[in-house]
Short mmCIF file of all heavy atoms in Angstrom, two decimals:
data_model
loop_
_atom_site.label_atom_id
_atom_site.label_comp_id
_atom_site.label_asym_id
_atom_site.label_seq_id
_atom_site.Cartn_x
_atom_site.Cartn_y
_atom_site.Cartn_z
N HIS B 281 3.34 22.28 -44.48
CA HIS B 281 2.70 21.99 -43.09
C HIS B 281 3.84 21.85 -42.05
O HIS B 281 3.67 22.43 -40.93
CB HIS B 281 1.91 20.77 -43.21
CG HIS B 281 0.69 20.80 -44.05
ND1 HIS B 281 0.02 21.96 -44.24
CD2 HIS B 281 0.09 19.84 -44.80
CE1 HIS B 281 -1.03 21.72 -45.09
NE2 HIS B 281 -0.93 20.45 -45.41
N LEU B 282 4.94 21.28 -42.38
CA LEU B 282 5.99 21.20 -41.35
C LEU B 282 6.65 22.58 -41.14
O LEU B 282 6.92 22.94 -39.96
CB LEU B 282 7.12 20.31 -41.87
CG LEU B 282 6.83 18.80 -41.79
CD1 LEU B 282 7.78 17.99 -42.66
CD2 LEU B 282 6.73 18.35 -40.41
N SER B 283 6.70 23.43 -42.20
CA SER B 283 7.25 24.85 -41.96
C SER B 283 6.23 25.53 -41.10
O SER B 283 6.57 26.41 -40.30
CB SER B 283 7.33 25.45 -43.40
OG SER B 283 7.71 26.78 -43.19
N THR B 284 4.96 25.33 -41.32
CA THR B 284 3.90 26.14 -40.60
C THR B 284 3.75 25.62 -39.18
O THR B 284 3.75 26.46 -38.27
CB THR B 284 2.55 25.98 -41.33
OG1 THR B 284 2.62 26.42 -42.58
CG2 THR B 284 1.49 26.69 -40.51
N PHE B 285 3.66 24.38 -38.91
CA PHE B 285 3.42 23.88 -37.58
C PHE B 285 4.59 23.32 -36.79
O PHE B 285 4.49 23.11 -35.62
CB PHE B 285 2.30 22.82 -37.67
CG PHE B 285 1.01 23.38 -38.20
CD1 PHE B 285 0.55 22.97 -39.44
CD2 PHE B 285 0.21 24.19 -37.44
CE1 PHE B 285 -0.60 23.36 -40.06
CE2 PHE B 285 -0.98 24.70 -37.98
CZ PHE B 285 -1.43 24.28 -39.24
N ASP B 286 5.70 23.11 -37.55
CA ASP B 286 6.94 22.73 -36.88
C ASP B 286 6.82 21.46 -36.05
O ASP B 286 7.37 21.36 -35.00
CB ASP B 286 7.52 23.84 -36.00
CG ASP B 286 8.98 23.75 -35.79
OD1 ASP B 286 9.62 22.97 -36.60
OD2 ASP B 286 9.60 24.34 -34.83
N SER B 287 5.92 20.53 -36.59
CA SER B 287 5.64 19.33 -35.80
C SER B 287 5.11 18.25 -36.79
O SER B 287 4.27 18.53 -37.56
CB SER B 287 4.54 19.63 -34.73
OG SER B 287 3.84 18.49 -34.38
N VAL B 288 5.76 17.07 -36.67
CA VAL B 288 5.31 16.02 -37.61
C VAL B 288 3.80 15.59 -37.36
O VAL B 288 3.01 15.52 -38.31
CB VAL B 288 6.20 14.74 -37.60
CG1 VAL B 288 5.63 13.60 -38.35
CG2 VAL B 288 7.58 15.11 -38.10
N PRO B 289 3.32 15.36 -36.13
CA PRO B 289 1.90 14.99 -35.89
C PRO B 289 0.99 16.07 -36.46
O PRO B 289 -0.06 15.79 -36.98
CB PRO B 289 1.96 14.83 -34.39
CG PRO B 289 3.23 14.44 -33.98
CD PRO B 289 4.16 15.24 -34.86
N LEU B 290 1.42 17.40 -36.29
CA LEU B 290 0.48 18.47 -36.73
C LEU B 290 0.49 18.52 -38.23
O LEU B 290 -0.59 18.91 -38.89
CB LEU B 290 0.81 19.74 -36.06
CG LEU B 290 0.61 19.99 -34.54
CD1 LEU B 290 0.82 21.28 -34.07
CD2 LEU B 290 -0.85 19.48 -34.21
N ALA B 291 1.65 18.31 -38.83
CA ALA B 291 1.66 18.34 -40.31
C ALA B 291 0.78 17.22 -40.90
O ALA B 291 0.12 17.44 -41.86
CB ALA B 291 3.15 18.15 -40.81
N LEU B 292 0.82 16.07 -40.24
CA LEU B 292 -0.07 15.03 -40.65
C LEU B 292 -1.51 15.34 -40.55
O LEU B 292 -2.40 15.01 -41.32
CB LEU B 292 0.35 13.72 -40.01
CG LEU B 292 1.67 13.11 -40.27
CD1 LEU B 292 2.04 11.98 -39.26
CD2 LEU B 292 1.74 12.53 -41.76
N ALA B 293 -1.81 15.91 -39.32
CA ALA B 293 -3.20 16.35 -39.09
C ALA B 293 -3.67 17.24 -40.14
O ALA B 293 -4.81 17.25 -40.62
CB ALA B 293 -3.37 16.85 -37.76
N ALA B 294 -2.79 18.25 -40.53
CA ALA B 294 -3.11 19.22 -41.52
C ALA B 294 -3.37 18.53 -42.90
O ALA B 294 -4.19 18.93 -43.72
CB ALA B 294 -2.09 20.30 -41.62
N TYR B 295 -2.54 17.56 -43.21
CA TYR B 295 -2.71 16.87 -44.50
C TYR B 295 -4.04 16.10 -44.59
O TYR B 295 -4.63 16.02 -45.54
CB TYR B 295 -1.49 15.82 -44.64
CG TYR B 295 -1.42 15.22 -45.99
CD1 TYR B 295 -0.55 15.72 -46.92
CD2 TYR B 295 -2.10 14.00 -46.33
CE1 TYR B 295 -0.36 15.18 -48.17
CE2 TYR B 295 -1.91 13.51 -47.59
CZ TYR B 295 -1.08 14.02 -48.50
OH TYR B 295 -0.89 13.41 -49.72
N ASN B 296 -4.44 15.65 -43.39
CA ASN B 296 -5.69 14.88 -43.30
C ASN B 296 -6.98 15.80 -43.15
O ASN B 296 -7.90 15.53 -43.92
CB ASN B 296 -5.65 13.90 -42.15
CG ASN B 296 -6.94 13.16 -41.94
OD1 ASN B 296 -7.80 13.51 -41.19
ND2 ASN B 296 -7.07 12.09 -42.69
N ALA B 297 -6.86 16.69 -42.22
CA ALA B 297 -7.95 17.45 -41.96
C ALA B 297 -8.02 18.92 -42.43
O ALA B 297 -9.07 19.65 -42.32
CB ALA B 297 -8.30 17.51 -40.40
N GLY B 298 -6.89 19.34 -42.86
CA GLY B 298 -6.68 20.74 -43.35
C GLY B 298 -6.04 21.55 -42.28
O GLY B 298 -6.33 21.36 -41.01
N PRO B 299 -5.20 22.59 -42.59
CA PRO B 299 -4.56 23.42 -41.52
C PRO B 299 -5.49 24.22 -40.84
O PRO B 299 -5.27 24.63 -39.65
CB PRO B 299 -3.56 24.22 -42.49
CG PRO B 299 -4.25 24.21 -43.88
CD PRO B 299 -4.90 22.92 -44.00
#
Side-chain angles (χ1 to χ4, degrees):
H281 294 327
L282 285 167
S283 175
T284 298
F285 297 111
D286 204 17
S287 160
V288 173
L290 292 187
L292 291 170
Y295 192 94
N296 177 265

